[in-house]
Amino acid sequence: MLKEEVLESLTQFMTEEEFFRFCRENDQLRIERDKNGNILLMPPSGFETGRRNSKLTAELVFWNEKTNPGGEVGDSSTGYTLPNGAVRSPDASWISHKRLTAAPPESRERFIHAVPEFIAEIRSKSDRPKTLREKMQEYIECGVLLGWYIDVPGRLVEIYRANGEVETKEGFDQVLSGETVLSGFVFDLKWMK
């Protein structure tokens, strides 16, 4: 198992290529890197978390294929290199072809240097709310237009918008809208129960 002090020393010397290789060699873990180069290790998802992630991703894919909105869906394994240098893997994402084609072509086989228009993070019991909320703010600061923080244990959703507004909705007996970012997309929160 990787020791925390070893990871701290690696962060200062790891190139983008080395970080990608490190992630591939430790594919049993979910790995992100923050804007300071610190490596963040997350255990694989439990069944319920995986089920919820799959439901949201499946609904996004279905909407994307049905409406042909000019973009692509990413799952929780999709890594984005953000403008601040962080490498993040939201639980679900959607990125337009416009942003995809603006990214360096060589980055598409690794952690693409692009910012998706939409992301979602689904909190499980083992996730820290403060950490996820900080990630949500980071996504918006880097150019995400719409973000959903779905707090399963807290039974609430925070909707983050590009203008800095954060709206909170309590309870899972409602439907979320993709607004103008994902025109026509709706997600029934019953899938998060």
Side-chain angles (χ1 to χ4, degrees):
M1 186 45 95
L2 296 167
K3 301 273 187 209
E4 192 170 313
E5 57 271 10
V6 173
L7 288 177
E8 287 177 9
S9 67
L10 286 174
T11 61
Q12 297 175 8
F13 305 106
M14 208 178 284
T15 66
E16 188 171 327
E17 176 63 33
E18 290 167 333
F19 178 66
F20 182 75
R21 192 169 47 250
F22 174 78
C23 292
R24 289 289 176 227
E25 291 170 358
N26 294 283
D27 61 355
Q28 72 279 13
L29 297 171
R30 290 187 58 211
I31 304 169
E32 291 184 335
R33 186 161 67 171
D34 71 14
K35 66 183 179 183
N36 299 316
N38 297 310
I39 295 174
L40 311 168
L41 301 177
M42 295 159 281
S45 298
F47 176 79
E48 284 299 320
T49 300
R51 178 187 67 80
R52 290 179 181 108
N53 290 357
S54 295
K55 291 288 186 182
L56 177 53
T57 302
E59 291 292 314
L60 268 173
V61 168
F62 179 72
W63 164 82
N64 195 57
E65 298 300 318
K66 181 177 155 189
T67 61
N68 191 21
E72 300 295 335
V73 174
D75 68 4
S76 61
S77 297
T78 306
Y80 295 93
T81 302
L82 302 177
N84 67 1
V87 177
R88 299 294 188 184
S89 298
D91 290 323
S93 59
W94 184 84
I95 185 168
S96 68
H97 288 144
K98 180 180 178 181
R99 288 191 179 188
L100 275 173
T101 57
E106 64 277 5
S107 77
R108 291 184 70 161
E109 292 299 323
R110 288 187 164 67
F111 304 126
I112 190 166
H113 287 251
V115 178
E117 280 89 342
F118 168 79
I119 63 92
E121 291 283 1
I122 302 172
R123 179 182 167 241
S124 64
K125 289 179 183 177
S126 63
D127 293 323
R128 294 185 182 130
K130 182 179 185 280
T131 302
L132 286 177
R133 286 183 172 114
E134 288 170 356
K135 280 173 62 173
M136 296 302 294
Q137 289 294 337
E138 178 183 56
Y139 287 129
I140 296 298
E141 289 167 8
C142 285
V144 168
L145 303 177
L146 177 66
W148 295 346
Y149 164 62
I150 303 172
D151 186 332
V152 174
R155 305 199 48 83
L156 63 85
V157 175
E158 292 175 358
I159 302 167
Y160 290 72
R161 296 184 178 94
N163 64 4
E165 176 188 339
V166 179
E167 177 185 358
T168 302
K169 294 184 177 232
E170 295 189 22
F172 286 171
D173 294 322
Q174 53 192 310
V175 175
L176 296 178
S177 164
E179 303 177 3
T180 58
V181 178
L182 305 174
S183 183
F185 178 66
V186 293
F187 183 70
D188 194 330
L189 286 169
K190 71 180 180 185
W191 298 114
M192 296 293 111
K193 293 181 183 181

